[in-house]
Amino acid sequence: MAVLGSTLLSLCFGMLLISASSADYPDRCMSFSTVSPTTGPGIKINSNIYESNRIYTISVPVDSSTNSVVLRAMDTNNNNSIGLWQRADWYCNSSVLYQHLDTHEGFFKANWQSPYFTNITVVIQAFVINVNRVATLSSLKLENQGKFLCSPSMTSMTSRTSMTSMTRSTTTRSPTTNRFPTTAKTATSTLTTTKSFANRILLSPITDAIQILLVFLTSKLLF
């Protein structure tokens, strides 16, 4: 009985240790006293368009007072942690912790691999923790690439609008185009009229002289 009681006590103690470790495990990544929005430059990413199964590089501004960085990627539809962070020092339930930082370049880089899900919107959050356990929060959103693709109906509507604009432009230019032949015809008609009038002016004295000459000859013959 003593041996059985000792065994049961050991099992119960082990279960308590496991429960305590499980409860403390998420807090290892989020072990800071206060959080405030960052007032300096925010985090950056190599692309803000979400694609499934892609590796993204996140750049987090840090300085000499930075002690660690906590990163997490959340699905905005259900607030679940998604994706896989690479080479983190601690992996918690919803975030990862990076402690061994090189702050000489002014920023810390981490790689995150997106899941195979497609129709989701992701928010990347970065908690920069200083030596006083005070964290500043910076976040950015990855937009679904489907928002930046034109649907077939939109493409068809754009094509119809372009064709309508071209037709209107052609119709508007038609009177201007037809004005040149009309002007040429008018100029030709005017030139012909001018020549006819000039010919009449030049031929009129000659005609009168011939008529006078005929009258004179006729009177000579008669008398």
Side-chain angles (χ1 to χ4, degrees):
M1 291 294 293
V3 175
L4 180 60
S6 177
T7 303
L8 291 175
L9 182 61
S10 299
L11 289 174
C12 291
F13 184 71
M15 292 296 292
L16 288 174
L17 287 178
I18 293 173
S19 299
S21 299
S22 300
D24 292 337
Y25 187 66
D27 296 336
R28 290 181 180 178
C29 292
M30 309 292 285
S31 59
F32 39 80
S33 57
T34 58
V35 181
S36 61
T38 182
T39 57
I43 59 176
K44 297 181 180 180
I45 195 167
N46 57 339
S47 175
N48 61 349
I49 306 301
Y50 175 80
E51 298 180 25
S52 62
N53 195 30
R54 175 179 176 176
I55 295 179
Y56 293 85
T57 300
I58 290 85
S59 300
V60 184
V62 293
D63 53 32
S64 58
S65 65
T66 303
N67 182 51
S68 58
V69 172
V70 174
L71 295 172
R72 65 181 179 181
M74 309 293 292
D75 181 0
T76 58
N77 296 324
N78 49 31
N79 291 328
N80 288 337
S81 177
I82 56 175
L84 177 64
W85 295 95
Q86 299 179 358
R87 298 183 179 181
D89 296 312
W90 290 95
Y91 288 87
C92 303
N93 284 350
S94 61
S95 59
V96 294
L97 174 67
Y98 292 90
Q99 287 182 319
H100 302 89
L101 308 176
D102 184 7
T103 61
H104 292 86
E105 296 183 357
F107 56 86
F108 165 73
K109 290 185 177 181
N111 292 328
W112 174 74
Q113 183 175 357
S114 61
Y116 286 93
F117 307 136
T118 55
N119 191 22
I120 59 175
T121 301
V122 181
V123 172
I124 306 294
Q125 294 180 332
F127 299 85
V128 180
I129 308 170
N130 61 18
V131 293
N132 298 321
R133 295 177 57 197
V134 176
T136 56
L137 171 62
S138 178
S139 62
L140 58 83
K141 181 186 293 185
L142 300 183
E143 297 290 349
N144 195 306
Q145 62 178 346
K147 295 182 179 181
F148 300 91
L149 298 177
C150 294
S151 62
S153 59
M154 291 178 63
T155 305
S156 177
M157 184 179 298
T158 303
S159 301
R160 288 197 299 269
T161 303
S162 300
M163 291 298 295
T164 302
S165 299
M166 292 177 62
T167 303
R168 290 179 178 176
S169 178
T170 304
T171 304
T172 304
R173 288 198 300 267
S174 296
T176 305
T177 306
N178 294 334
R179 199 163 56 231
F180 293 101
T182 303
T183 304
K185 291 179 181 179
T186 303
T188 304
S189 177
T190 303
L191 181 60
T192 302
T193 304
T194 304
K195 288 182 177 180
S196 178
F197 181 72
N199 291 334
R200 287 200 303 269
I201 294 174
L202 293 174
L203 292 176
S204 181
I206 298 174
T207 305
D208 293 342
I210 293 173
Q211 290 178 353
I212 294 172
L213 182 59
L214 289 175
V215 170
F216 177 77
L217 291 175
T218 303
S219 63
K220 285 292 185 180
L221 291 174
L222 291 177
F223 301 99

